[in-house]
């Protein structure tokens, strides 16, 4: 059987046709403009492909509740042209196949759990640190959803003693995303993270916030593995700083051999799938 | 079929024989002393009851990983006589039936989801605020576990502006439990919460910490309902203070009609099962 997959991101839509093993037969990348420009190109790509079902991993917030009548509709987002766009319904109408939707980070967690760096464990967390901070998770065999989808980037963090930055989040000012996403780094220091690689305090502060978040995620979700990706995590030295802070902050409270200085590098890891985590995860959504 | 159930708490062990519908046929309450005193009474109760399987909802920390060789063993706890006591193995050996173990708060979440105040939803969180703070959850049809079980009481919270109390947690000082469990209230104010019912600042500070935690739980887990029980929550006026703080702190970020001043009293609720949540949940563990 052939399935369709859409990775709907803030800068690009990736569309693919593939199978339940994650094999991609055809793929196209379309810039994210407004729906009137972007979506017709999406529909054109899937025309006559013979797909039976479609999976979408989307930027959020997106309604994932089947009982609301607005399943798969984009909610309020800084990408204002997309607010209230019924993504799943429209895709289903123009392609003629059923659509399953989830968040971009949940589908990335799904594909990492099948083919990436979270194989062999029953639960995992996938965190992306870039323009924003988001996370998805696999718990009890499925992606994590409920009242809505998680918004893990918006948890409160304690301020680093040397940090006076106000924070960038329009809703909470100094939540995790407001203090540690790429734009926060750039506004705090006056230049982007890529130009600050040698400034130790930049990364000490960054690791302090991200480690606090991971510690909270561990206390609340207890994932068996934590995967960290996104533009900010390209600063590879961040991994060891975060790992050290996580072990220090847990202070031995959670009994696990993985949460020790010797083993934590097997617990907090980069993604195993680089460019295709999202699109492969969306294929699996369709195939399930 | 008849099943056995044990609710293993810090002050008492409740043992019961019942069925998969949560009907309790026989029940006994045994004080929690050390294992050598308490456990023989437990085994005596289950002798010749004809049970086929046993469920245990236990205080923690407890190892719930089946691959470690120490499944169902109590880990380091202030109840030092119980450290490393192989609860599940010993119960299985003396009763001759298979044992399934989980945390006390996870089994309470389970029974609330079946017969209590979380029926009709697919996910829920059960928080107890008493001598300690703990929480269990139902996610994707099962209790929440992973690397270990959740330790949601130990997340970091931001300090209330008028609170200079150091915190009681031996691991993290001023984590949620260290600032908001019963002993923290008593040490901060010099008398127990029951004697402070009319002191507004006491409950304003308490609600501030608990609401922060619930907001983090919502961002991370997105439960469809939040149930709050335990001794501290007997101060019924706390519910409205917590609800108000949660709505204020979310600041409209999560789109849900339940997270509004009008509806939040249907979202953050007391338990529906009073004394029997734990033992009924343990029965279901056995019956599954």
């Amino acid at each position: 059987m052939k399935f369709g997959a859409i990775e709907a991101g803030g800068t690009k839509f990736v569309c693919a046709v593939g199978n339940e093993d994650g094999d991609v037969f055809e793929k196209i990348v379309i810039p994210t403009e407004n729906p009137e420009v972007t979506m017709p190109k999406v529909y054109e790509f899937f025309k006559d492909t013979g797909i039976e079902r479609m999976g979408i991993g989307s930027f959020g917030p997106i309604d994932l509740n089947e009982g609301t009548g607005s399943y798969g509709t984009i909610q309020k987002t800084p990408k204002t042209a997309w607010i209230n766009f019924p993504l799943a319904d429209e895709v289903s109408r123009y392609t003629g196949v059923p659509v399953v939707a989830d968040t971009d980070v949940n589908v990335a967690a799904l594909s990492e759990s099948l083919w990436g760096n979270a194989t062999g464990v029953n639960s995992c967390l996938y965190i992306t640190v870039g323009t924003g901070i988001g996370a998805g998770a696999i718990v009890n065999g499925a992606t994590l959803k409920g009242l809505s989808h998680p918004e893990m980037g918006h948890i409160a963090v304690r301020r680093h003693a040397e940090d006076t930055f106000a924070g960038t989040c329009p809703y909470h000012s100094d939540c995790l995303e407001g203090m540690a996403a790429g734009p926060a780094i750039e506004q705090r220091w006056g230049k982007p993270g890529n130009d600050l690689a040698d400034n130790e305090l930049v990364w000490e502060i960054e690791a302090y916030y991200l480690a606090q978040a991971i510690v909270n995620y561990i206390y609340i979700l207890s994932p068996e593995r934590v995967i960290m990706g996104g533009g900010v995590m390209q600063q590879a030295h961040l991994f060891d700083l975060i790992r050290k802070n996580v072990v220090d902050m847990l202070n031995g409270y959670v009994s696990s051999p993985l949460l020790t200085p010797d083993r934590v590098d097997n617990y907090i890891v980069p993604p195993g799938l680089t460019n295709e985590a999202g699109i492969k995860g969306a294929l699996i959504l369709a195939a399930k």
Side-chain angles (χ1 to χ4, degrees), chain A:
Chain A
M1 262 164 82
K2 290 206 288 188
F3 300 102
I6 300 174
E7 183 187 0
T11 55
K12 62 180 195 284
F13 270 54
V14 183
C15 303
V17 174
N19 67 15
E20 64 273 22
D21 298 322
D23 300 320
V24 172
F25 306 138
E26 291 179 70
K27 195 168 88 169
I28 191 175
V29 178
I30 300 164
T32 306
E33 299 179 65
N34 62 47
E36 294 68 34
V37 175
T38 302
M39 296 312 295
K41 298 176 187 167
V42 171
Y43 307 140
E44 180 61 29
F45 170 76
F46 285 109
K47 214 171 149 183
D48 304 323
T49 51
I51 59 171
E52 311 243 348
R53 235 180 356 257
M54 176 83 75
I56 302 180
S58 178
F59 66 84
I62 180 170
D63 187 346
L64 299 178
N65 286 304
E66 289 175 36
T68 58
S70 56
Y71 176 78
T73 294
I74 305 288
Q75 296 169 318
K76 58 187 167 195
T77 159
K79 294 173 252 303
T80 50
W82 293 84
I83 294 176
N84 292 328
F85 182 71
L87 181 61
D89 273 2
E90 291 278 294
V91 169
S92 182
R93 189 150 67 97
Y94 283 98
T95 61
V97 300
V99 168
V100 183
D102 210 325
T103 62
D104 45 6
V105 278
N106 263 344
V107 302
L110 194 54
S111 59
E112 286 290 333
S113 75
L114 289 170
W115 304 294
N117 271 348
T119 58
V121 291
N122 294 313
S123 57
C124 71
L125 183 67
Y126 177 93
I127 307 170
T128 180
V129 188
T131 312
I133 298 180
I138 303 299
V139 177
N140 290 329
T143 60
L144 179 61
K145 291 172 292 192
L147 184 68
S148 170
H149 50 76
E151 285 285 354
M152 300 198 205
H154 291 271
I155 63 167
V157 285
R158 291 180 182 177
R159 186 170 284 275
H160 187 281
E162 294 184 49
D163 188 15
T164 57
F165 181 60
T168 64
C169 178
Y171 291 90
H172 322 91
S173 301
D174 56 358
C175 66
L176 175 68
E177 180 172 299
M179 297 304 268
I185 298 174
E186 183 162 352
Q187 285 185 37
R188 182 188 288 110
W189 300 98
K191 46 187 170 178
N194 281 338
D195 298 341
L196 293 160
D198 296 332
N199 184 328
E200 280 186 23
L201 185 59
V202 171
W203 306 107
E204 183 194 308
I205 289 176
E206 182 70 11
Y208 176 77
Y209 291 126
L210 293 172
Q212 272 191 65
I214 292 171
V215 166
N216 277 357
Y217 302 155
I218 290 172
Y219 281 142
I220 295 172
L221 276 177
S222 204
E224 289 172 65
R225 194 156 301 153
V226 174
I227 293 172
M228 301 191 76
V232 172
M233 295 308 300
Q234 300 307 308
Q235 301 284 334
H237 57 282
L238 251 183
F239 276 95
D240 277 339
L241 285 173
I242 292 168
R243 290 169 181 139
K244 181 180 182 311
N245 271 279
V246 166
V247 171
D248 288 351
M249 289 176 189
L250 284 168
N251 198 15
Y253 189 73
V254 178
S255 289
S256 167
L258 287 173
L259 298 174
T260 55
D262 284 355
R263 301 276 304 280
V264 67
D265 53 337
N266 295 316
Y267 182 69
I268 299 172
V269 299
L273 305 168
T274 47
N275 292 326
E276 297 210 307
I279 202 73
K280 282 173 184 278
L283 270 175
I284 291 307
L285 271 194
K288 272 206 166 180

XYZ file of all heavy atoms in Angstrom, chain A residues 66-127:
461
model
N -10.625 14.700 18.264
C -11.548 14.268 17.223
C -12.988 14.714 17.484
O -13.796 14.769 16.571
C -11.445 12.755 17.035
C -10.114 12.429 16.366
C -9.824 10.945 16.225
O -10.770 10.190 15.982
O -8.642 10.577 16.370
N -13.301 15.057 18.717
C -14.684 15.404 19.021
C -15.061 16.867 18.835
O -16.216 17.252 19.017
N -14.114 17.718 18.450
C -14.394 19.156 18.462
C -14.999 19.670 17.161
O -15.468 20.802 17.100
C -13.094 19.957 18.688
O -12.184 19.593 17.644
C -12.493 19.657 20.039
N -14.930 18.858 16.111
C -15.385 19.347 14.808
C -14.335 20.167 14.087
O -14.558 20.629 12.967
N -13.179 20.369 14.738
C -12.123 21.130 14.051
C -10.786 20.383 14.122
O -9.727 20.983 14.229
C -11.999 22.535 14.640
O -11.771 22.471 16.041
N -10.890 19.063 14.057
C -9.690 18.209 14.069
C -8.749 18.610 12.926
O -9.176 18.755 11.786
C -10.116 16.747 13.888
C -8.968 15.776 13.786
C -8.276 15.365 14.928
C -8.569 15.264 12.548
C -7.221 14.467 14.832
C -7.509 14.362 12.455
C -6.839 13.976 13.601
O -5.802 13.091 13.511
N -7.487 18.777 13.279
C -6.494 19.088 12.256
C -6.517 20.532 11.785
O -5.932 20.852 10.747
N -7.174 21.394 12.559
C -7.196 22.823 12.208
C -6.098 23.562 12.970
O -5.942 23.374 14.179
C -8.572 23.437 12.559
O -9.559 22.843 11.708
C -8.576 24.950 12.363
N -5.343 24.384 12.258
C -4.302 25.195 12.888
C -4.966 26.212 13.811
O -5.982 26.816 13.457
C -3.467 25.942 11.817
C -2.892 24.963 10.779
C -2.372 26.783 12.463
C -1.782 24.100 11.258
N -4.399 26.404 14.995
C -4.961 27.365 15.946
C -4.149 28.661 15.901
O -3.434 28.913 14.937
C -5.021 26.708 17.333
C -5.985 25.508 17.318
C -5.887 24.650 18.564
O -4.803 24.384 19.055
N -7.034 24.202 19.055
N -4.259 29.475 16.951
C -3.574 30.773 16.868
C -2.064 30.578 16.854
O -1.509 29.889 17.701
C -4.013 31.702 17.996
C -3.784 31.165 19.361
C -4.412 32.072 20.401
C -4.439 31.315 21.728
N -5.294 31.893 22.715
N -1.417 31.169 15.896
C 0.014 31.000 15.672
C 0.568 32.333 15.165
O -0.182 33.122 14.572
C 0.284 29.887 14.621
O 1.576 30.061 14.052
C -0.738 29.928 13.487
N 1.850 32.584 15.396
C 2.445 33.795 14.825
C 2.349 33.815 13.293
O 2.396 34.882 12.685
C 3.909 33.713 15.276
C 3.915 32.779 16.446
C 2.785 31.824 16.236
N 2.202 32.645 12.653
C 2.006 32.590 11.193
C 0.530 32.876 10.921
O -0.267 31.979 10.647
C 2.392 31.193 10.683
C 3.876 30.875 10.845
C 4.213 29.432 10.496
C 4.545 28.587 11.696
N 5.634 29.024 12.557
N 0.172 34.159 10.974
C -1.253 34.534 11.046
C -2.081 34.064 9.850
O -3.270 33.820 9.987
C -1.403 36.064 11.192
O -0.604 36.692 10.188
C -0.924 36.525 12.554
N -1.465 33.923 8.685
C -2.235 33.490 7.514
C -2.796 32.075 7.702
O -3.732 31.672 7.022
C -1.360 33.528 6.262
N -2.223 31.338 8.641
C -2.629 29.940 8.849
C -3.623 29.772 9.988
O -4.138 28.664 10.211
C -1.385 29.067 9.084
C -0.541 28.976 7.861
C 0.410 29.862 7.452
C -0.610 27.957 6.847
N 0.948 29.464 6.249
C 0.353 28.292 5.867
C -1.374 26.792 6.678
C 0.570 27.510 4.727
C -1.152 26.000 5.549
C -0.199 26.366 4.585
N -3.904 30.835 10.736
C -4.829 30.709 11.868
C -6.191 30.247 11.363
O -6.734 30.800 10.406
C -4.960 32.053 12.627
C -3.629 32.405 13.295
C -6.067 31.973 13.684
C -3.618 33.762 13.990
N -6.703 29.194 12.006
C -8.001 28.588 11.662
C -8.015 27.883 10.310
O -9.091 27.525 9.820
C -9.142 29.614 11.716
C -9.404 30.063 13.140
O -9.223 29.279 14.074
N -9.796 31.312 13.325
N -6.858 27.650 9.712
C -6.854 26.890 8.465
C -7.090 25.411 8.770
O -6.340 24.782 9.518
C -5.524 27.063 7.715
C -5.496 26.325 6.406
C -6.261 26.766 5.331
C -4.754 25.164 6.263
C -6.263 26.062 4.134
C -4.754 24.460 5.059
C -5.512 24.910 3.991
N -8.148 24.823 8.173
C -8.490 23.424 8.470
C -7.625 22.459 7.664
O -8.090 21.821 6.713
C -9.966 23.350 8.067
C -10.136 24.397 7.009
C -9.116 25.470 7.280
N -6.376 22.348 8.066
C -5.366 21.620 7.294
C -5.796 20.189 6.975
O -5.786 19.770 5.809
C -4.049 21.640 8.087
C -2.841 20.952 7.464
C -2.457 21.599 6.134
C -1.642 21.004 8.414
N -6.185 19.430 8.003
C -6.529 18.021 7.761
C -7.751 17.902 6.856
O -7.758 17.103 5.901
C -6.767 17.298 9.094
N -8.775 18.679 7.129
C -10.002 18.609 6.317
C -9.741 18.960 4.861
O -10.222 18.295 3.949
C -11.060 19.590 6.862
C -11.897 18.953 7.955
O -11.632 17.781 8.296
O -12.799 19.633 8.473
N -8.981 20.031 4.651
C -8.717 20.461 3.270
C -7.876 19.425 2.529
O -8.150 19.127 1.368
C -7.972 21.804 3.283
C -8.799 22.972 3.756
C -9.686 23.545 2.651
O -9.134 24.093 1.666
O -10.923 23.449 2.767
N -6.876 18.892 3.204
C -6.036 17.887 2.552
C -6.882 16.657 2.213
O -6.754 16.072 1.130
C -4.826 17.509 3.438
C -4.113 16.278 2.898
C -3.849 18.683 3.525
N -7.766 16.290 3.117
C -8.604 15.122 2.865
C -9.551 15.399 1.681
O -9.749 14.542 0.814
C -9.409 14.797 4.126
O -10.186 13.642 3.913
N -10.095 16.604 1.631
C -11.036 16.938 0.566
C -10.360 16.927 -0.805
O -10.885 16.370 -1.769
C -11.614 18.339 0.844
C -12.753 18.736 -0.063
C -13.703 19.687 0.646
N -13.088 20.973 0.927
C -13.237 22.058 0.156
N -13.982 21.980 -0.940
N -12.668 23.179 0.489
N -9.152 17.494 -0.885
C -8.503 17.600 -2.198
C -7.783 16.328 -2.630
O -7.545 16.128 -3.820
C -7.546 18.793 -2.218
C -8.272 20.104 -2.372
C -8.558 20.900 -1.265
C -8.711 20.531 -3.621
C -9.250 22.093 -1.401
C -9.405 21.723 -3.767
C -9.670 22.507 -2.657
O -10.356 23.678 -2.796
N -7.399 15.501 -1.662
C -6.718 14.259 -2.065
C -7.679 13.080 -2.072
O -7.365 12.035 -2.640
C -5.557 13.922 -1.108
O -6.096 13.736 0.212
C -4.515 15.025 -1.078
N -8.816 13.224 -1.393
C -9.803 12.141 -1.381
C -9.450 10.971 -0.482
O -10.050 9.903 -0.583
N -8.474 11.152 0.426
C -8.119 10.050 1.338
C -8.237 10.520 2.794
O -8.167 11.719 3.076
C -6.681 9.524 1.075
C -6.553 8.998 -0.354
C -5.631 10.583 1.380
N -8.427 9.561 3.720
C -8.478 9.932 5.145
C -7.133 10.490 5.616
O -6.079 10.073 5.126
C -8.773 8.604 5.857
C -9.183 7.643 4.800
C -8.599 8.111 3.512
N -7.202 11.410 6.552
C -5.999 12.089 7.040
C -5.863 11.907 8.555
O -6.842 12.062 9.291
C -6.059 13.597 6.706
C -4.967 14.365 7.447
C -5.946 13.815 5.204
N -4.662 11.565 9.005
C -4.341 11.533 10.432
C -3.322 12.634 10.700
O -2.323 12.734 9.987
C -3.728 10.175 10.848
C -3.474 10.140 12.340
C -4.629 9.041 10.417
N -3.589 13.459 11.708
C -2.688 14.575 11.991
C -2.073 14.447 13.382
O -2.669 13.865 14.292
C -3.440 15.908 11.891
N -0.875 14.975 13.509
C -0.224 15.060 14.819
C 0.775 16.202 14.735
O 0.913 16.839 13.687
C 0.451 13.720 15.159
C 0.511 13.449 16.663
O 0.674 14.416 17.437
O 0.411 12.283 17.059
N 1.468 16.477 15.838
C 2.443 17.567 15.787
C 3.725 17.103 15.100
O 4.041 15.907 15.059
C 2.804 18.057 17.195
O 3.405 16.976 17.918
C 1.578 18.540 17.943
N 4.467 18.062 14.582
C 5.757 17.765 13.959
C 6.700 17.036 14.917
O 7.399 16.091 14.540
C 6.402 19.048 13.426
C 6.346 20.222 14.400
O 5.904 20.039 15.553
O 6.764 21.337 14.005
N 6.682 17.454 16.195
C 7.597 16.829 17.161
C 7.114 15.447 17.589
O 7.924 14.555 17.854
C 7.841 17.739 18.383
C 8.913 18.763 18.044
C 6.572 18.414 18.876
N 5.810 15.237 17.640
C 5.321 13.884 17.937
C 5.675 12.904 16.813
O 6.083 11.773 17.086
C 3.802 13.891 18.160
C 3.418 13.963 19.639
O 4.235 13.716 20.531
N 2.163 14.289 19.903
N 5.545 13.317 15.560
C 5.897 12.383 14.487
C 7.409 12.154 14.447
O 7.862 11.048 14.113
C 5.351 12.791 13.094
C 3.832 12.914 13.107
C 6.007 14.025 12.552
N 8.181 13.146 14.824
C 9.638 12.932 14.891
C 9.967 11.921 15.992
O 10.812 11.036 15.804
C 10.360 14.248 15.138
N 9.282 12.031 17.134
C 9.483 11.046 18.208
C 9.115 9.646 17.724
O 9.812 8.660 17.998
C 8.642 11.423 19.438
N 8.033 9.580 16.940
C 7.584 8.288 16.410
C 8.627 7.660 15.504
O 8.975 6.477 15.648
C 6.277 8.538 15.644
C 5.383 7.398 15.242
C 5.015 6.522 16.434
C 4.099 7.954 14.580
N 9.170 8.427 14.581
C 10.144 7.829 13.671
C 11.467 7.542 14.372
O 12.116 6.536 14.092
C 10.335 8.678 12.414
O 10.763 9.957 12.744
N 11.848 8.387 15.331
C 13.061 8.068 16.111
C 12.879 6.767 16.894
O 13.828 6.008 17.077
C 13.408 9.215 17.067
C 13.996 10.452 16.394
C 15.406 10.246 15.855
O 16.142 9.396 16.383
O 15.762 10.941 14.877
N 11.657 6.505 17.340
C 11.425 5.285 18.117
C 11.444 4.038 17.228
O 11.717 2.935 17.697
C 10.097 5.374 18.880
O 8.992 5.201 18.008
N 11.176 4.220 15.937
C 11.160 3.074 15.019
C 12.489 2.853 14.314
O 12.920 1.718 14.111
C 10.065 3.268 13.971
C 8.633 3.124 14.472
C 7.644 3.574 13.414
C 8.364 1.657 14.858
N 13.132 3.951 13.897
C 14.326 3.793 13.067
C 15.486 4.668 13.493
O 16.507 4.701 12.827
C 13.990 4.154 11.604
C 12.867 3.384 11.043
C 12.849 2.028 10.809
C 11.593 3.884 10.606
N 11.640 1.669 10.274
C 10.855 2.783 10.133
C 11.015 5.144 10.566
C 9.561 2.907 9.646
C 9.735 5.277 10.074
C 9.008 4.173 9.617
N 15.326 5.447 14.537
C 16.366 6.405 14.878
C 17.101 6.041 16.153
O 17.452 4.884 16.376
N 17.297 7.033 17.009
C 18.072 6.811 18.227
C 17.239 6.447 19.443
O 17.734 6.484 20.560
C 18.923 8.053 18.523
C 20.268 7.968 17.827
O 20.633 6.901 17.327
N 20.999 9.069 17.794
N 15.973 6.082 19.237
C 15.164 5.615 20.368
C 14.590 4.222 20.076
O 13.538 3.869 20.592
C 14.058 6.604 20.695
N 15.302 3.441 19.272
C 14.864 2.060 19.079
C 15.243 1.273 20.334
O 16.167 1.636 21.065
C 15.536 1.423 17.853
O 16.948 1.485 18.037
C 15.161 2.172 16.588
N 14.490 0.231 20.616
C 14.829 -0.636 21.752
C 14.370 -0.121 23.098
O 14.663 -0.723 24.124
N 13.665 1.000 23.109
C 13.074 1.484 24.365
C 11.569 1.674 24.143
O 11.113 1.798 23.005
C 13.716 2.799 24.863
C 15.139 2.566 25.333
C 13.668 3.883 23.796
N 10.819 1.691 25.221
C 9.362 1.780 25.103
C 8.827 3.206 25.139
O 7.658 3.429 24.843
C 8.698 0.983 26.233
C 8.965 -0.493 26.086
O 8.816 -1.048 24.997
N 9.391 -1.135 27.164
N 9.653 4.148 25.564
C 9.179 5.523 25.644
C 10.339 6.439 25.308
O 11.507 6.104 25.547
C 8.660 5.834 27.052
O 9.669 5.591 28.011
N 10.027 7.569 24.718
C 11.092 8.530 24.422
C 10.513 9.925 24.300
O 9.305 10.106 24.140
C 11.844 8.161 23.145
S 10.894 8.418 21.640
N 11.403 10.872 24.412
C 11.060 12.278 24.301
C 11.921 12.854 23.187
O 13.116 12.571 23.116
C 11.402 12.948 25.632
C 11.087 14.423 25.814
C 9.583 14.643 25.829
C 11.677 14.910 27.136
N 11.301 13.641 22.299
C 12.040 14.300 21.225
C 11.890 15.805 21.403
O 10.787 16.335 21.337
C 11.488 13.880 19.860
C 12.158 14.584 18.705
C 13.244 14.005 18.057
C 11.722 15.828 18.276
C 13.876 14.656 17.004
C 12.354 16.492 17.238
C 13.425 15.897 16.602
O 14.059 16.541 15.572
N 12.998 16.484 21.664
C 12.981 17.928 21.907
C 13.661 18.635 20.747
O 14.753 18.230 20.338
C 13.762 18.278 23.202
C 13.251 17.450 24.377
C 13.672 19.772 23.497
C 14.122 17.571 25.627
